[in-house]
Amino acid sequence: MISVAVGDGVEEAYEEAKRRGFEIVHPLTTEPWGLRRFLVRAPDGNVINIVSHKND
């Protein structure tokens, strides 16, 4: 798995991934420690962690 930090654009990235029909492995979630993220499966099968840190 790889992680990609998108700053304040995590909601937009989530909507774009859904619009394109990518498999959402884990929905957009705010973790108790402040991390906001979702997991998506890339066309090659790899899972990508799309993340926004609290301080981004």
Side-chain angles (χ1 to χ4, degrees), residues 2-50:
I2 63 169
S3 291
V4 177
V6 295
D8 291 336
V10 71
E11 285 85 6
E12 292 84 0
Y14 183 67
E15 292 304 320
E16 182 69 11
K18 290 192 320 183
R19 186 185 73 73
R20 292 178 178 250
F22 293 141
E23 178 188 353
I24 305 298
V25 178
H26 181 74
L28 185 60
T29 304
T30 301
E31 303 293 355
W33 54 91
L35 192 74
R36 188 145 170 82
R37 68 175 175 167
F38 69 97
L39 299 161
V40 64
R41 188 172 313 278
D44 65 2
N46 287 306
V47 175
I48 303 171
N49 181 37
I50 309 294

